Amino acid sequence: MSGTVKVAALQMRSSTSLTRNIADFEALVREAAGKGATYVQSPEMTGALVRDRDSLRAMITSDDKDALVARAGELAAELGIVVHVGSTAIARPDGKVANRAFVFGPDGARLATYDKIHMFDVDLDKGESWRESATYEPGRVSTVVDLPFGRVGLAVCYDLRFPQLFRAQALAGASVLTVPAAFTRQTGEAHWHVLIRARAIENGAFVIAAAQGGRHEDGRETYGHSLIVDPWGKVLAEADGAEPGVVLAEIDLAASAAARGKVPNLKNARDFTIADGAGLANAS
């Protein structure tokens, strides 16, 4: 599918208050729609950024009762747009927590969900350490959804570092890849731009990445710099630093087919095995 569409990435600074975050989310969605966006994506953990595990568990609920999820569907229907909640924490029936994305169509219907697969379990410089798997249950299914303008692959934040996920989505027909995120300032300064651009170039796809930015109430600091990148790796739009706001760009999905035609690496990939030693298996 091809066609031009205006898309938006919302940059937020989510607090520990779900009520405040929903109000901020709604204001940015309305701003984006008012500027002509028909697809709007919010960052990872739109609902709340709460580092303390017990506090988070005490404030979340199932997705059928979650106030942010309900409001996102209402806004999609009212404004006649696609609303993509990058993710929010959801209580699972088994007592565990999901880091879950939601996509609502222009009629307000829920089109897709996605639970973040890769857990951010890392030890960074300056004593910064994260163990996402201590709170969240990883997803096991990659999601690609058909939207009015084309086929879109869903991912969340740390998934960005696993190119096989995006390759599989591209091979499944996705010409738009999404990476809503709450990248730390430390990792964002080092890797955010190059990884987003690499995923676009590798797959001949647009990448839309709404981000959290700034210092949050729970003490963490996120990088911001929400991005929209074209299939040739060109940055079409970028948030100026870490301040909340709306990033907009016109994308033409024909550019994805054109990029894949020029560099058909999706078609040219070959199966191979790994051999120990000096490659003697290839010797004549």
Side-chain angles (χ1 to χ4, degrees):
M1 186 180 294
S2 64
T4 300
V5 61
K6 183 174 281 189
V7 300
L10 309 182
Q11 187 153 293
M12 297 181 65
R13 188 174 296 155
S14 291
S15 69
T16 58
S17 167
L18 176 62
T19 301
R20 291 205 308 271
N21 295 332
I22 291 174
D24 291 344
F25 164 76
E26 178 170 347
L28 291 171
V29 170
R30 290 188 181 280
E31 179 182 344
K35 293 179 177 177
T38 56
Y39 164 91
V40 179
Q41 177 194 125
S42 68
E44 180 184 29
M45 288 296 137
T46 294
L49 273 174
V50 181
R51 190 166 188 172
D52 181 75
R53 190 183 320 165
D54 293 334
S55 297
L56 178 68
R57 288 180 183 273
M59 67 182 292
I60 64 173
T61 186
S62 57
D63 63 6
D64 61 326
K65 298 177 181 177
D66 185 86
L68 170 66
V69 174
R71 193 69 190 118
E74 292 165 357
L75 285 168
E78 177 191 340
L79 300 170
I81 62 173
V82 174
V83 175
H84 175 182
V85 176
S87 84
T88 197
I90 295 294
R92 291 168 34 123
D94 60 6
K96 298 177 181 179
V97 181
N99 187 344
R100 182 168 296 167
F102 296 84
V103 180
F104 295 92
D107 60 355
R110 186 186 300 185
L111 301 180
T113 62
Y114 165 72
D115 287 0
K116 183 177 180 180
I117 292 173
H118 300 99
M119 299 289 98
F120 190 53
D121 292 355
V122 303
D123 296 301
L124 304 174
D125 294 338
K126 303 176 183 178
E128 187 176 355
S129 183
W130 299 90
R131 289 293 180 273
E132 199 169 55
S133 63
T135 302
Y136 297 96
E137 178 71 10
R140 291 172 174 79
V141 178
S142 175
T143 299
V144 176
V145 57
D146 288 311
L147 298 183
F149 57 87
R151 198 156 166 80
V152 177
L154 306 185
V156 176
C157 201
Y158 191 51
D159 285 334
L160 179 61
R161 296 182 182 272
F162 299 85
Q164 65 273 24
L165 174 66
F166 300 90
R167 175 53 53 89
Q169 293 178 347
L171 290 172
S175 54
V176 178
L177 306 173
T178 62
V179 196
F183 249 60
T184 69
R185 179 178 177 182
Q186 185 176 169
T187 57
E189 288 176 343
H191 301 145
W192 176 247
H193 288 81
V194 69
L195 287 174
I196 293 288
R197 295 183 66 213
R199 298 298 87 86
I201 294 166
E202 291 166 348
N203 297 295
F206 288 93
V207 177
I208 306 170
Q212 296 279 356
R215 186 169 293 280
H216 300 263
E217 282 184 340
D218 74 345
R220 81 184 74 198
E221 191 170 6
T222 52
Y223 183 58
H225 292 272
S226 297
L227 291 173
I228 301 172
V229 177
D230 82 1
W232 207 245
K234 178 182 177 182
V235 175
L236 299 178
E238 177 176 355
D240 184 13
E243 291 303 307
V246 176
V247 174
L248 295 138
E250 293 270 2
I251 66 172
D252 183 352
L253 270 64
S256 175
R260 291 171 179 177
K262 293 173 184 174
V263 184
N265 59 309
L266 296 179
K267 293 181 179 180
N268 291 346
R270 296 177 61 85
D271 293 332
F272 57 88
T273 59
I274 299 293
D276 292 330
L280 298 179
N282 294 323
S284 58

